[in-house]
Amino acid sequence: MTLKDQSVRVVTHLSQGGDAVRIRIQNTFGSTPLVVDRTTIGHSDGQAGVTGVRSVTFGGRRSVTVPPGEDIWSDPAELVTRPDEDLAVSMYASGSVVPGQHDNALRNNYLTPPGAADHTADTSGSAFTEKVTATYLVSAVDVHNLALRGTIVPYGSSVVDGTGSTICNPGCGVKPVNRRWTDALARRITAELPPTKQLAVANAGIAGTTSAADCPQTPTAFRGLDANTRIERDVLALHGVTDVIFYYGTNDLASGCTAAPILDSYRRAFERLHAAGIAVYVTPITPRPGYSDQNNKDRYTTSTFVKQWNSCAGTCDGVVDFDQVLKDPLKPNSIAPGYDVGDGIHVNMAGQQALADYVPLAMLGSVRKGHR
């Protein structure tokens, strides 16, 4: 889509609160400079409205131009926030802008009509008449909180991105938003860890991506988004990362990769993360009934490596066995029926919560041996 002299209001969810925030605007896939004339941030009212509006600057300027293929962080904006809170980021583009977008936002965001001009300072949502389910322009939000011990980055494809997390059994009475296992993990951290061990959670899942770069059947749209190609932007460039939960491989097998290139990509990613002092916890590849016999043999080989010595044969820091959580005990190559959303791949809210509950919080946020 193209923005034409209009404003966009993106709702973004925080895992932790603090006393200031900054945002990252991305033009990663753009072929021309991206100009944003004005940006504000405030507390979302749950729909298109906002309270506590603050102006956001970039190098002290209200307007920002992001070159093609790049992204830019804003200056910090003073705003007191709480854990598990939604913020509203409002941006205005006076010209024609093709924004980068994340289609799997799993929430409503808002647009004014084309030609409506600047409504970034509006507290009312009345000017934002169009609902969209994609996130535009904003690729990260960073909260300033000196009390936090670090940031956990769940890293993977759609099983991290949150596909299925809006699906609940009829009558469950739970609002179908912010129900990814990563959201539930963040709530567990806030509720269960002491103040001196609090951590942020930054979801770095992109649906459709693979760990290995050259799986023969990877769709063209997802080439160049493999785990090692995007690791600098989506993990290493984030602030204060202490741990990664590496949940990759399901799409690799479905895209024709065997165990060898998957494991090669794992080792290279783990090495890069360790070089940055980041601990790596890995989940074995979870079930998928559409796998061929050869796929399941490669899944077994990959999982055996991950579980060896409970440390990927000494190349990672631990195992989070989501395969054990999700598999049907009667059909271990399938997801348990109570969690399956119906595609045999993704899990519902109950499955998302089960994954979050399985993560041992005590292992997170520890400085790797030999690093500070």
Side-chain angles (χ1 to χ4, degrees):
M1 68 159 294
T2 300
L3 301 176
K4 297 180 179 179
D5 187 27
Q6 63 192 118
S7 299
V8 55
R9 182 159 284 173
V10 172
V11 180
T12 182
H13 188 67
L14 300 183
S15 63
Q16 291 283 0
D19 56 24
V21 294
R22 60 180 188 145
I23 65 169
R24 185 174 68 183
I25 293 182
Q26 60 100 352
N27 193 21
T28 308
F29 307 105
S31 57
T32 60
L34 168 69
V35 179
V36 177
D37 296 271
R38 189 180 182 189
T39 302
T40 65
I41 195 164
H43 306 280
S44 170
D45 70 355
Q47 299 184 53
V50 61
T51 60
V53 176
R54 302 287 190 275
S55 291
V56 176
T57 58
F58 299 82
R61 298 175 180 272
R62 192 171 78 171
S63 176
V64 62
T65 300
V66 187
E70 297 186 19
D71 52 51
I72 290 180
W73 283 97
S74 75
D75 304 323
E78 292 186 4
L79 184 70
V80 176
T81 54
R82 304 181 305 276
D84 202 28
E85 180 182 1
D86 286 341
L87 295 186
V89 181
S90 305
M91 290 160 287
Y92 166 60
S94 60
S96 294
V97 169
V98 179
Q101 65 186 65
H102 175 214
D103 291 331
N104 206 34
L106 306 180
R107 65 163 68 252
N108 288 325
N109 294 304
Y110 305 92
L111 296 171
T112 62
D118 182 3
H119 288 273
T120 57
D122 292 11
T123 56
S124 167
S126 59
F128 294 84
T129 55
E130 181 182 354
K131 291 182 181 179
V132 293
T133 56
T135 293
Y136 297 123
L137 299 167
V138 178
S139 64
V141 176
D142 188 18
V143 172
H144 182 261
N145 184 336
L146 294 177
L148 294 179
R149 191 181 181 93
T151 299
I152 313 303
V153 180
Y155 192 50
S157 55
S158 58
V159 291
V160 175
D161 205 358
T163 301
S165 65
T166 59
I167 298 175
C168 187
N169 294 330
C172 74
V174 177
K175 187 177 180 181
V177 66
N178 303 326
R179 296 294 165 179
R180 298 170 171 89
W181 66 266
T182 57
D183 298 320
L185 175 62
R187 287 188 283 270
R188 276 194 63 208
I189 288 171
T190 301
E192 299 176 27
L193 290 183
T196 56
K197 294 186 177 181
Q198 287 293 303
L199 298 152
V201 178
N203 186 313
I206 298 181
T209 57
T210 58
S211 181
D214 298 316
C215 296
Q217 298 163 29
T218 299
T220 301
F222 299 113
R223 293 192 177 274
L225 289 172
D226 58 275
N228 279 282
T229 298
R230 69 183 188 93
I231 200 170
E232 179 69 36
R233 181 195 70 206
D234 293 345
V235 181
L236 299 179
L238 301 182
H239 181 260
V241 178
T242 53
D243 308 77
V244 163
I245 300 177
F246 195 91
Y247 191 173
Y248 251 125
T250 58
N251 289 335
D252 296 68
L253 295 175
S255 298
C257 261
T258 60
I262 296 172
L263 293 177
D264 178 65
S265 69
Y266 280 15
R267 293 185 184 97
R268 288 187 290 117
F270 303 166
E271 184 177 356
R272 292 176 67 186
L273 293 166
H274 282 165
I278 298 170
V280 185
Y281 302 99
V282 184
T283 180
I285 299 174
T286 45
R288 194 163 176 162
Y291 286 150
S292 66
D293 288 347
Q294 184 60 52
N295 288 154
N296 278 316
K297 289 178 181 178
D298 289 314
R299 185 167 82 93
Y300 177 81
T301 299
T302 305
S303 296
T304 299
F305 165 78
V306 169
K307 293 180 183 181
Q308 187 173 348
W309 312 336
N310 203 41
S311 64
C312 312
T315 65
C316 70
D317 298 274
V319 178
V320 184
D321 197 349
F322 286 168
D323 177 43
Q324 183 65 32
V325 178
L326 297 183
K327 69 183 181 183
D328 184 342
L330 300 180
K331 298 177 181 178
N333 287 332
S334 298
I335 293 174
Y339 297 152
D340 189 354
V341 299
D343 63 6
I345 304 169
H346 303 102
V347 298
N348 58 20
M349 288 186 197
Q352 303 280 339
Q353 187 65 54
L355 294 177
D357 290 342
Y358 193 80
V359 177
L361 300 187
M363 77 179 184
L364 300 176
S366 299
V367 178
R368 291 196 70 245
K369 185 177 181 180
H371 293 82
R372 295 199 307 167

